[in-house]
């Protein structure tokens, strides 16, 4: 257990108990760097703090001067080899940060290398001295540079760092004779070397603050790097300042703090308490938004998300894969825990939902499309006519062609559609029973009674008759309401002379060019969500 002091008001530090590490998440301009500066320079713990800036020079020094390790460490941590002990924080602000801790660009790669090589030389010299005294019966010590080489190997297993005569070279592996000078490292390699060196150079039992720790690092390397460094420097408290939601979510055991804003003198932040009803990664994503949230089905690249982002430009569209997750997360965010923090609604496909189920969902803030699938929106008459015009086709003939083709497909699949809808309605009948802790036999009787009280045969006949009337009446809009078939969009595309997959891409392209016309075409089919 460790303690971190953070400021809301700079004159009244807040004490936070920490078991592992701290992640402070905030958008650009929220005051992350300024808060890190306060911990570094002005907090009661400033003597323990080593802050690594996001603004840093990464030129790998080719030569350094070996010196006293203690003096080299002070030069790196404070910027001066002989700071005044009573004013270490002032010395750090002046010498390390050039009196501008929040904006100063850090040029300290030379100091990192000087300290690591000086420490290595001192450890090696002590080993030789002890070895002569005890006639070789001394276990070889491990310097900080030795540790760096080992961590490097764990993080980048395909490459090796070679230390010869206090010079570091890089090669693909030890059997490869084509070593190159480490000043020729890639940006990613240099930043990994730099960050490992900085963390190993931090004071014992220190607080290591890392501003934008994800910079220049591939996501596949981040977890290994920081887990390893935290294990090696288990004496230190790591504090990460980031706007990267994925990075923050990956630090599973961290205390996470949402930094909302900074007004120049005070910070507005709060600790994010775990909530089992909504995944932490999703919660972190939502925290920074000031727009109303609309949960939808699908993934980021899905048709659902694409069309909703165009039609609801003032909402944060959050795809959460399944309709069940849309319902769960909408209810959770609208619950008392989050109701003053977010404004959230959900939108799901009609699928095979009953009217009773649709009404129940809307009471929970979840809206339902008037068509079976979101893909059916691309098939409504107004959209088909608009797309026909875009392709310079006769609108009436194209629409008739689409309607005929989709009805032919529906008639061929009627039996399958009846079976699927019957299955869904029976599921809803059963799902409508309240959860019970009664004995098993009682629960069996409850469900048997629920099914006995429902005439399944009649239910099947009603569905069949519904579908027959759709065909008899040639009711195209009603067909789109009840016909669950994601491939209908390709049927429309074929009628426009397009290959499979091209229709949706063309639709989205035209929507971006002529948003008003397409929004007007969809106006009667997408709900108005206040």
């Amino acid at each position: 257990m460790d303690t971190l002091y953070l400021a809301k008001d700079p004159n009244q530090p807040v004490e936070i108990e920490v078991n592992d590490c701290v992640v402070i998440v905030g958008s650009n301009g929220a005051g992350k760097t300024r808060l890190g500066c306060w911990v570094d320079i002005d907090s009661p713990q400033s003597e323990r703090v080593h802050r690594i800036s996001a603004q840093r020079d990464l030129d790998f020094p080719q030569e350094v001067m070996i010196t006293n390790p203690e003096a080299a460490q002070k030069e790196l941590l404070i910027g001066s080899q002989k700071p005044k002990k009573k004013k270490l924080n002032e010395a750090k602000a002046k010498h390390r940060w050039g009196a501008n801790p929040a904006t100063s660009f850090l040029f300290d790669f030379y100091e990192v290398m000087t300290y690591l090589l000086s420490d290595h030389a001192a450890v090696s010299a002590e080993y030789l001295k002890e070895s002569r005294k005890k006639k070789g019966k001394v276990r070889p010590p491990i310097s900080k540079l030795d540790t760096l080489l080992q961590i490097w190997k764990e993080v980048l297993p395909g490459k090796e760092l070679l230390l010869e005569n206090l010079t570091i070279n890089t090669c693909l592996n030890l059997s490869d004779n084509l070593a190159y000078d480490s000043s020729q490292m890639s940006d990613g390699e240099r930043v990994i070397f730099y960050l490992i060196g900085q963390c190993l150079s931090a004071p014992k039992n220190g607080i290591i603050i890392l501003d934008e720790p994800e910079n220049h690092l591939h996501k596949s390397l981040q977890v290994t790097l920081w887990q390893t460094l935290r294990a090696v420097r288990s004496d230190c408290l790591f504090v990460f300042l980031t706007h990267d939601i994925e990075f923050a979510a990956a630090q599973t055991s961290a205390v996470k703090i949402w930094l909302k804003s900074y007004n120049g003198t005070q910070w507005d932040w709060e600790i994010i308490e775990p909530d089992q009803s909504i995944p932490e990664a999703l919660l972190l994503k939502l925290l920074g938004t000031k727009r109303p949230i609309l949960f939808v089905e699908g993934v980021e690249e899905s048709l659902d998300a694409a069309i909703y982002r165009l039609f609801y430009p003032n909402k944060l569209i959050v795809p959460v894969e399944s309709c069940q997750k849309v319902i769960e997360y909408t209810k959770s965010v609208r619950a008392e825990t989050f109701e003053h923090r977010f404004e959230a609604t959900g939108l799901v496909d009609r699928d095979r939902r009953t009217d009773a189920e649709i009404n129940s969902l809307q009471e929970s803030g979840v809206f339902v499309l008037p068509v079976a699938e979101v893909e059916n929106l691309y098939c409504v008459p107004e959209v088909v006519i608009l797309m026909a015009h875009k392709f310079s086709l006769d609108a009436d003939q194209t629409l008739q062609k689409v309607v005929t083709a989709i009805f032919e497909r529906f008639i061929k699949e009627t039996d399958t559609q009846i079976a699927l809808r019957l299955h869904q309605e029976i599921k809803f009948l059963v799902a409508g029973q309240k959860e019970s802790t009664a004995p098993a036999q009682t629960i069996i009787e409850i469900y048997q009674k629920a099914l006995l009280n429902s005439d399944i045969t009649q239910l099947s006949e009603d569905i069949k008759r519904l579908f027959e009337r759709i065909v008899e009446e040639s009711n195209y809009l009603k067909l789109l309401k009840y016909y669950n078939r994601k491939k209908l969009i390709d049927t429309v595309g074929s009628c426009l002379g397009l290959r499979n997959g091209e229709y949706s891409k063309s639709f989205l392209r035209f929507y971006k060019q002529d948003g008003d016309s397409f929004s007007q075409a969809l106006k009667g089919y997408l709900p108005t969500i206040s």
Side-chain angles (χ1 to χ4, degrees), residues 323 327 330-331 346 348-349 353-368:
C323 63
I327 296 165
T330 302
K331 289 180 178 179
V348 296
D349 296 349
R353 304 182 196 281
T354 64
D355 290 340
E357 186 180 1
I358 291 170
N359 292 335
S360 175
L361 286 173
Q362 191 148 336
E363 289 175 5
S364 302
V366 179
F367 292 82
V368 179

Side-chain angles (χ1 to χ4, degrees), residues 267-286:
W267 291 269
D268 184 9
W269 55 260
E270 65 177 89
I271 295 175
I272 303 170
E273 300 295 346
D275 189 283
Q276 299 302 316
S277 65
I278 187 166
E280 187 177 69
L282 178 57
L283 178 57
L284 288 168
K285 178 179 180 178
L286 301 182

Side-chain angles (χ1 to χ4, degrees), residues 70-346:
E70 185 178 345
Q73 187 182 35
K74 286 181 179 177
E75 188 70 40
L76 170 61
L77 301 181
I78 301 170
S80 171
Q81 295 185 11
K82 296 180 179 180
K84 294 180 180 179
K85 290 187 178 180
K86 291 184 179 179
K87 296 184 178 181
L88 284 178
N89 59 340
E90 293 180 13
K92 191 194 302 185
K94 178 181 177 181
H95 298 294
R96 177 168 167 78
W97 298 108
N100 291 298
T103 58
S104 180
F105 203 87
L106 203 54
F107 293 89
D108 65 347
F109 212 143
Y110 180 90
E111 284 75 15
V112 171
M113 287 299 301
T114 299
Y115 173 58
L116 291 172
L117 288 169
S118 298
D119 173 77
H120 185 79
V123 168
S124 299
E126 183 63 25
Y127 169 65
L128 290 174
K129 179 182 175 182
E130 288 296 309
S131 186
R132 291 193 191 100
K133 187 186 295 185
K134 297 181 181 180
K135 297 181 180 180
K137 296 180 180 179
V138 180
R139 178 176 293 180
I142 299 175
S143 69
K144 288 181 173 60
L145 191 52
D146 291 326
T147 303
L148 186 152
L149 300 183
Q150 182 58 40
I151 295 173
W152 171 278
K153 191 174 180 179
E154 292 178 23
V155 177
L156 294 170
K159 294 195 175 181
E160 298 278 357
L161 291 177
L162 305 178
L163 176 62
E164 295 178 356
N165 299 322
L166 298 181
T167 299
I168 296 175
N169 290 319
T170 310
C171 65
L172 292 178
N173 53 61
L174 287 175
S175 63
D176 189 347
N177 294 321
L178 298 175
Y180 55 90
D181 189 280
S182 290
S183 63
Q184 302 302 310
M185 286 179 177
S186 69
D187 285 349
E189 290 170 338
R190 277 181 280 141
V191 78
I192 289 171
F193 189 104
Y194 176 84
L195 291 173
I196 297 172
Q198 288 277 19
C199 292
L200 294 179
S201 304
K204 188 176 181 180
N205 299 316
I207 297 173
I208 301 174
I209 299 178
L210 293 125
D211 201 344
E212 297 187 18
E214 69 282 354
N215 269 7
H216 296 292
L217 288 176
H218 192 278
K219 292 188 183 298
S220 64
L221 302 177
Q222 291 176 16
V223 174
T224 303
L225 175 64
W226 295 117
Q227 282 183 347
T228 304
L229 282 172
R230 282 164 53 194
V232 170
R233 292 307 312 263
S234 58
D235 59 307
C236 292
L237 170 60
F238 282 73
V239 179
F240 300 104
L241 311 176
T242 184
H243 60 260
D244 189 313
I245 301 304
E246 288 185 45
F247 176 87
Q251 315 310 312
T252 53
S253 54
V255 171
K256 295 189 175 70
I257 294 171
W258 172 32
L259 180 55
K260 305 176 191 177
S261 62
Y262 174 61
N263 65 7
T265 57
Q266 294 181 318
W267 291 269
D268 184 9
W269 55 260
E270 65 177 89
I271 295 175
I272 303 170
E273 300 295 346
D275 189 283
Q276 299 302 316
S277 65
I278 187 166
E280 187 177 69
L282 178 57
L283 178 57
L284 288 168
K285 178 179 180 178
L286 301 182
L287 286 173
T289 185
K290 296 179 180 178
R291 289 186 288 165
I293 297 159
L294 180 61
F295 292 111
V296 300
E297 299 178 61
V299 295
E300 286 293 338
E301 300 79 20
S302 66
L303 292 177
D304 310 50
I307 197 169
Y308 296 146
R309 286 196 176 101
L310 292 167
F311 193 81
Y312 301 109
N314 297 323
K315 295 189 181 294
L316 177 67
I317 304 301
V318 183
V320 291
E321 296 182 4
S322 69
C323 63
Q324 192 55 43
K325 282 188 168 63
V326 172
I327 296 165
E328 289 174 9
Y329 296 160
T330 302
K331 289 180 178 179
S332 295
V333 172
R334 290 168 69 91
E336 187 175 347
T337 309
F338 298 112
E339 65 177 347
H340 300 301
R341 187 180 287 170
F342 304 120
E343 180 185 335
T345 47

Side-chain angles (χ1 to χ4, degrees), residues 367-418:
F367 292 82
V368 179
L369 290 176
V371 291
E373 308 268 2
V374 68
E375 288 81 1
N376 289 13
L377 292 174
Y378 295 79
C379 310
V380 299
E382 293 86 345
V383 169
V384 173
I385 289 170
L386 193 52
M387 288 294 286
H389 286 309
K390 295 295 181 182
F391 285 105
S392 301
L393 299 172
D394 183 281
D396 292 335
Q397 287 183 8
T398 302
L399 178 59
Q400 188 55 52
K401 190 175 179 181
V402 167
V403 171
T404 300
I406 290 180
F407 263 106
E408 287 176 355
R409 191 166 190 169
F410 178 69
I411 291 167
K412 290 178 182 177
E413 298 179 355
T414 299
D415 290 343
T416 302
Q417 290 290 316
I418 291 171

Side-chain angles (χ1 to χ4, degrees), residues 409-475:
R409 191 166 190 169
F410 178 69
I411 291 167
K412 290 178 182 177
E413 298 179 355
T414 299
D415 290 343
T416 302
Q417 290 290 316
I418 291 171
L420 291 171
R421 184 164 187 85
L422 178 62
H423 176 74
Q424 184 65 30
E425 296 215 14
I426 293 172
K427 276 177 64 178
F428 182 68
L429 286 172
V430 175
Q433 305 306 311
K434 292 183 179 179
E435 189 174 347
S436 173
T437 57
Q441 185 57 42
T442 303
I443 294 174
I444 291 170
E445 291 172 1
I446 290 171
Y447 281 96
Q448 286 177 336
K449 185 177 180 181
L451 292 174
L452 284 172
N453 287 343
S454 302
D455 190 335
I456 306 300
T457 303
Q458 184 59 50
L459 186 57
S460 176
E461 289 297 320
D462 290 343
I463 295 170
K464 181 181 179 183
R465 183 60 190 144
L466 169 66
F467 287 175
E468 287 174 346
R469 279 201 305 271
I470 290 173
V471 176
E472 289 168 3
E473 298 168 2
S474 298
N475 193 329

